[in-house]
Amino acid sequence: MKKTNLKNLFHGLQNQMIHTLSSNRENIDHPGAKGDASELDWIEWLETYLPKRYKVGKAFVIDSTNQISDQIDLVIYDQQYTPFVYVTKGTSYIPAESVYAVFEVKQSFNTKNIKYAGEKFETVRRLYRTSADIYHLGGKGKKEHFRILSGLVCLDSDFSPAFSETSQKKILDLKNLQQLDLACVLQKGSFWVNYDAEPRIEFSTEEEALISFFFRLVGELQKLGTAPAMDIEEYAKALDSM
């Protein structure tokens, strides 16, 4: 009988997620339905384990100048200072100010999906973000905008080995607004990219893919602090009466 400890609990979570996503791949024939199921599984998992201050969902991101992103598979966002989240027929529109991180959900880690994800990230990061005063006991002040995190989550990899020189080059080929920060390839490992003076990629072991990814994600979210407050007046300018 296995002794209950943190390591075994973490491995159990990973094995459970691998089983769920593998079942989707094997039992759902339609590519679109398969993708939708994987997205829902990741959203449900993150909603369960992320601190409750963070919301998670599939969405378009919109700004006060009427610019809109591509639809993003998984958005981690804040509702404390950005109350305007519009949902219609299952489609969500989230203000740019509220976004902490954006992720693409794919079956496989490969060149096509790395490039595609980078293009999707750019449609969010190029949006205009306002910042209104936040009132507190010490007075008021504006929160500086942070760099929105980006990531890719997959079940497996088409590269052999998964994190070969070729795959690393494809990751680092993404520039500026398309940059990829972290990823989880459930059956191979996870990684995160350090974009200091000399960009470098750090990898987890295969056995700790999910939990290493999760700890890194939570740590990076903590560094961002609270999302800036959206300037309601800027959004209200879309109305004829304002």
Side-chain angles (χ1 to χ4, degrees):
M1 181 177 179
K2 278 189 176 181
K3 182 180 178 182
T4 300
N5 57 39
L6 283 175
K7 188 172 184 178
N8 288 338
L9 289 174
F10 294 152
H11 285 174
L13 286 175
Q14 179 163 313
N15 291 335
Q16 185 181 64
M17 192 63 160
I18 289 173
H19 174 74
T20 299
L21 295 178
S22 296
S23 294
N24 290 344
R25 173 179 275 190
E26 293 171 7
N27 298 318
I28 301 175
D29 293 327
H30 190 276
K34 186 181 300 184
D36 290 344
S38 296
E39 290 162 13
L40 289 172
D41 288 332
W42 277 104
I43 288 170
E44 181 180 337
W45 193 88
L46 287 171
E47 282 187 329
T48 299
Y49 294 106
L50 279 176
K52 296 309 176 188
R53 65 179 290 185
Y54 302 111
K55 303 291 184 181
V56 186
K58 183 171 184 172
F60 293 94
V61 183
I62 193 167
D63 70 16
S64 61
T65 68
N66 288 320
Q67 299 302 305
I68 188 168
S69 74
D70 290 347
Q71 190 171 39
I72 305 300
D73 291 342
L74 197 160
V75 182
I76 299 175
Y77 63 99
D78 173 88
Q79 274 192 301
Q80 182 173 358
Y81 295 114
T82 50
F84 174 69
V85 177
Y86 180 64
V87 181
T88 176
K89 295 182 179 178
T91 302
S92 298
Y93 295 85
I94 297 171
E97 292 82 356
S98 72
V99 177
Y100 290 109
V102 290
F103 284 85
E104 282 300 297
V105 180
K106 298 297 176 188
Q107 293 295 313
S108 295
F109 180 63
N110 56 39
T111 298
K112 177 183 176 182
N113 288 335
I114 291 171
K115 184 176 184 296
Y116 178 79
E119 292 169 351
K120 297 286 282 290
F121 303 152
E122 184 174 16
T123 69
V124 175
R125 286 178 170 145
R126 72 188 180 198
L127 297 176
Y128 176 70
R129 288 182 284 171
T130 66
S131 183
D133 284 326
I134 296 175
Y135 291 84
H136 48 79
L137 290 176
K140 64 180 182 179
K142 286 185 170 66
K143 172 71 189 293
E144 293 295 322
H145 294 131
F146 46 69
R147 179 178 174 281
I148 294 172
L149 291 171
S150 64
L152 185 60
V153 289
C154 311
L155 176 60
D156 207 345
S157 174
D158 291 344
F159 294 106
S160 182
F163 304 126
S164 62
E165 288 186 11
T166 301
S167 65
Q168 292 183 56
K169 183 179 184 303
K170 297 300 180 183
I171 295 162
L172 296 178
D173 278 346
L174 298 175
K175 304 298 182 183
N176 303 319
L177 300 182
Q178 294 192 2
Q179 287 179 334
L180 171 65
D181 294 310
L182 69 167
C184 179
V185 184
L186 265 175
Q187 294 182 325
K188 301 299 181 183
S190 61
F191 68 82
W192 45 95
V193 187
N194 187 321
Y195 288 105
D196 289 340
E198 188 66 33
R200 67 182 188 278
I201 306 174
E202 301 175 51
F203 301 93
S204 78
T205 62
E206 181 178 318
E207 294 75 18
E208 297 177 348
L210 183 60
I211 200 61
S212 293
F213 163 78
F214 180 71
F215 281 169
R216 175 63 61 161
L217 172 60
V218 172
E220 294 303 315
L221 289 172
Q222 288 176 339
K223 291 176 187 177
L224 299 182
T226 302
M230 65 185 288
D231 189 334
I232 298 294
E233 293 183 2
E234 288 299 313
Y235 280 86
K237 288 177 180 178
L239 302 177
D240 293 334
S241 58
M242 297 298 288

